[in-house]
Amino acid sequence: MEGCIFCKIVNGEIPSNKLYEDDKVYAFYDINPEAPTHFLVIPKDHIESANALNEKNVDIISHIFMVINKLVVDLGISDKGYRIVNNCGEDGGQTVNHLHFHVLGGRSLQWPPG
Ligand code: AMP
Ligand code: ZN
């Protein structure tokens, strides 16, 4: 989608620190990490937010979780644990309107979030 920074990361217009890519998803380190390990996993297709999931596109979610499953092992945070976060909409704190899952690990995380 034109003007979307994550679409621009997917197509290489904006550089990123890539962790993983396949035909459906792209994973890269967050530019402003909130934990020692903080990366994002996004669908290559532009999906605005969790609100825009439907029967036709929801299969991407299981694929994203399988990719996360592999990356947390590769990055050595699977055993101690980590947090998967999706911020949706204004109250959810979503600042980039392209569906993404944060994966945070490498330290003990607080709960509840602010
Ligand atoms: P959210 O607030 O849930 O929409 O998360 C957006 C995330 O994208 C934030 O954690 C930002 O630090 C991150 N971010 C924004 N621009 C970039 C970029 N160019 N490369 C990597 N991460 C980014
Ligand atoms: Zn996009």
Side-chain angles (χ1 to χ4, degrees):
M1 191 201 180
E2 207 163 316
C4 171
I5 60 168
F6 284 0
C7 284
K8 287 183 178 168
I9 283 176
V10 168
N11 69 28
E13 271 181 72
I14 294 178
S16 65
N17 196 352
K18 181 171 87 173
L19 263 170
Y20 175 87
E21 176 179 20
D22 62 28
D23 56 328
K24 297 193 264 311
V25 309
Y26 193 91
F28 56 106
Y29 283 105
D30 197 292
I31 205 168
N32 185 23
E34 299 289 356
T37 301
H38 183 180
F39 64 90
L40 304 172
V41 186
I42 69 176
K44 285 191 166 177
D45 288 340
H46 183 87
I47 298 172
E48 199 90 354
S49 77
N51 281 341
L53 290 167
N54 57 50
E55 282 182 6
K56 284 187 183 152
N57 64 18
V58 73
D59 287 353
I60 194 67
I61 302 301
S62 55
H63 184 60
I64 284 172
F65 271 67
M66 287 296 91
V67 168
I68 290 172
N69 198 303
K70 168 193 153 39
L71 291 176
V72 293
V73 171
D74 291 351
L75 295 170
I77 58 170
S78 60
D79 287 348
K80 286 210 81 179
Y82 51 90
R83 186 170 295 165
I84 301 171
V85 175
N86 170 251
N87 295 325
C88 180
E90 194 182 341
D91 278 0
Q94 184 176 6
T95 59
V96 178
N97 293 329
H98 180 130
L99 180 68
H100 52 280
F101 289 86
H102 298 256
V103 181
L104 302 124
R107 70 169 170 86
S108 181
L109 298 161
Q110 305 296 308
W111 190 264

